[in-house]
Amino acid sequence: MNINGRHFRTIWPDPENRNKICIIDQRQLPHQFIIETLTCLDDSIRAIKDMHVRGAGLIGAAAGFGMYLAAINAPDHGVDEKLEQAAILLNRSRPTARNLGWAVERVLAAVTKIEDGIDKKKAAYKTACEIADEDAAFCRQIGIHGLELIAAISKKKNGKQVNILTHCNAGWLAFVDYGSATAPIYAARDAGIDVHVWVDETRPWNQGAKLTTWELQQEGIANTLITDNTGGHLMQNGMVDMVIVGTDRTTHTGDVANKIGTYLKALAAYDNNIPFYVALPSSTFDWELEDGTDIPIEQRSGDEITRISGMNDKTGEIETVRLVAPGTQAINYSFDVTPARLISGLITERGIVQANKEAIDALFPDKTKKLTQG
Ligand code: MRU
């Protein structure tokens, strides 16, 4: 997508030296646009864990390139061993994110079947690039399918503005390009549909306030920031036509883990008869999980709740301040699970599907078959 009119992906190999992987440091947005370079596995782990990069698809792509960086820093005879250690370390870095494990497994599978160490390194690079390219392509497809839903609402409203509520950032910053929840919105804009987005601020990390508003502004999409508690009120007053969110891990049965607070939005949407859609590439499905309560929920530092950072308008400096009395205890669950029964549908790269096992199996028979064959 575009930043000041120039196209960027969120992760890319340096064109002059592919042993350097470039990312946008998302901790600095929207105040500073800083490109950071990763050169080793530790850099990749730090970038994922400390959220320089974040969001389902981008964590997957960063993990793929992290495996590649681990491979090139290993002796030619020790690539497999190095990658097995790297897989363990990467998998621990963001436990809820399914794309992470999926990408790590994909690189491992591609590399272990090759004999020669140098060829293994080439295979790691090729696979990491494929993961990134596929993520962008799948999000683009999600946009094409999701557009149908927005177009239908626009038609029903005789072309009046369609109001879409989203939570957190499932935009292009959370993927390699396009985003999942935002892809249908960008497609609707391109189709000439009048869209407006209600953006939940998404405490405590404020992905909505810092990232979603910024990326929508960069793309010229009308949007309004709201506190996390406002959505229910807007829904009761007919100000939301649909909700689209992303997901960090979705079970085979359609239960959806997403940023903390998503469940409350789904409940409010259900009570107000507002369609609630989840957009995801198939790489976010956990084909082995049948029950959302089994999804590992990441807990992050309570400091993310007790402190807040932003730009000091007077000095132009980024500052962090404490919100609470010294010693205040805080617990920071990063994700919650929305049960499938509250979800109107899943928007995937292959089409829109009901959030239940039968429908998901019918759309992805190849993934399910692999599972039953072990
Ligand atoms: O903690 P994050 O920012 O990595 O969480 C991911 C998210 O941005 C959201 O949960 C998002 O809605 C799903 S990821 C596309």
Side-chain angles (χ1 to χ4, degrees):
M1 305 303 291
N2 288 329
I3 298 170
N4 297 328
R6 185 174 153 208
H7 179 262
F8 277 90
R9 279 187 170 189
T10 54
I11 190 164
W12 65 96
D14 183 333
E16 279 162 26
N17 178 357
R18 71 186 210 182
N19 294 354
K20 294 182 178 174
I21 302 302
C22 305
I23 58 166
I24 301 163
D25 183 354
Q26 299 196 14
R27 298 168 310 161
Q28 315 303 333
L29 291 173
H31 307 299
Q32 290 171 308
F33 183 76
I34 293 175
I35 294 174
E36 189 184 337
T37 304
L38 313 177
T39 57
C40 61
L41 173 66
D42 283 351
D43 285 353
S44 305
I45 292 172
R46 199 175 322 110
I48 294 171
K49 204 177 169 70
D50 296 344
M51 294 174 65
H52 307 211
V53 290
R54 39 142 307 279
L58 179 54
I59 291 175
F65 282 116
M67 292 289 277
Y68 161 63
L69 291 175
I72 56 168
N73 286 305
D76 291 347
H77 62 270
V79 176
D80 283 343
E81 206 182 337
K82 181 73 191 172
L83 286 192
E84 266 155 40
Q85 291 161 2
I88 294 168
L89 296 172
L90 280 163
N91 275 328
R92 276 190 208 140
S93 58
R94 295 292 310 269
T96 306
R98 172 60 197 141
N99 288 66
L100 199 165
W102 169 85
V104 162
E105 286 155 24
R106 185 160 161 176
V107 177
L108 272 182
V111 167
T112 43
K113 64 182 180 212
I114 290 170
E115 288 292 316
D116 178 70
I118 295 173
D119 290 343
K120 280 179 188 287
K121 294 177 186 185
K122 286 185 189 154
Y125 180 74
K126 184 167 171 277
T127 311
C129 290
E130 281 167 4
I131 288 169
D133 290 345
E134 189 179 283
D135 186 77
F138 282 2
C139 283
R140 190 158 179 273
Q141 285 303 118
I142 287 169
I144 292 167
H145 296 301
L147 168 61
E148 292 165 25
L149 298 168
I150 302 177
I153 294 171
S154 167
K155 196 166 166 213
K156 210 163 141 200
K157 289 184 80 175
N158 293 321
K160 280 209 200 109
Q161 190 168 63
V162 179
N163 289 294
I164 300 168
L165 185 141
T166 194
H167 190 69
C168 198
N169 174 263
W172 76 267
L173 286 166
F175 289 85
V176 174
D177 212 343
Y178 301 101
S180 60
T182 50
I185 296 168
Y186 294 133
R189 181 268 320 267
D190 294 344
I193 296 171
D194 187 4
V195 277
H196 165 262
V197 184
W198 296 110
V199 182
D200 281 351
E201 63 177 345
T202 319
R203 286 272 293 145
W205 211 84
N206 294 307
Q207 287 93 333
K210 291 181 172 179
L211 304 177
T212 307
T213 54
W214 181 77
E215 80 161 75
L216 292 175
Q217 282 156 25
Q218 291 292 327
E219 283 292 322
I221 306 273
N223 68 92
T224 308
L225 179 64
I226 52 176
T227 66
D228 290 327
N229 302 323
T230 304
H233 172 72
L234 296 181
M235 291 184 202
Q236 284 176 323
N237 286 281
M239 294 161 80
V240 179
D241 296 304
M242 75 186 300
V243 180
I244 314 181
V245 297
T247 167
D248 300 270
R249 189 184 292 244
T250 288
T251 65
H252 192 174
T253 50
D255 294 338
V256 162
N258 193 47
K259 186 53 60 189
I260 193 81
T262 303
Y263 172 49
L264 292 176
K265 293 298 136 69
L267 284 172
Y270 191 78
D271 192 46
N272 289 282
N273 209 16
I274 290 167
F276 183 97
Y277 282 91
V278 179
L280 73 160
S282 53
S283 45
T284 308
F285 278 109
D286 188 330
W287 301 102
E288 292 184 13
L289 283 192
E290 302 267 318
D291 188 337
T293 58
D294 292 330
I295 295 175
I297 299 295
E298 176 183 358
Q299 277 188 50
R300 297 183 62 83
S301 164
D303 286 355
E304 289 182 357
I305 302 179
T306 58
R307 289 161 202 277
I308 196 158
S309 66
M311 179 175 273
N312 180 325
D313 273 341
K314 288 199 184 114
T315 63
E317 297 290 318
I318 308 295
E319 289 174 2
T320 301
V321 295
R322 179 165 42 79
L323 286 170
V324 299
T328 299
Q329 295 297 308
I331 188 155
N332 187 6
Y333 291 102
S334 217
F335 301 95
D336 61 21
V337 176
T338 298
R341 67 188 158 78
L342 298 178
I343 296 167
S344 311
L346 306 172
I347 312 170
T348 76
E349 75 270 13
R350 293 194 191 170
I352 299 166
V353 64
Q354 283 180 350
N356 65 59
K357 190 174 173 182
E358 294 67 36
I360 294 168
D361 279 353
L363 192 62
F364 292 98
D366 44 333
K367 313 277 180 196
T368 320
K369 210 160 79 199
K370 258 194 218 155
L371 197 68
T372 45
Q373 285 169 350

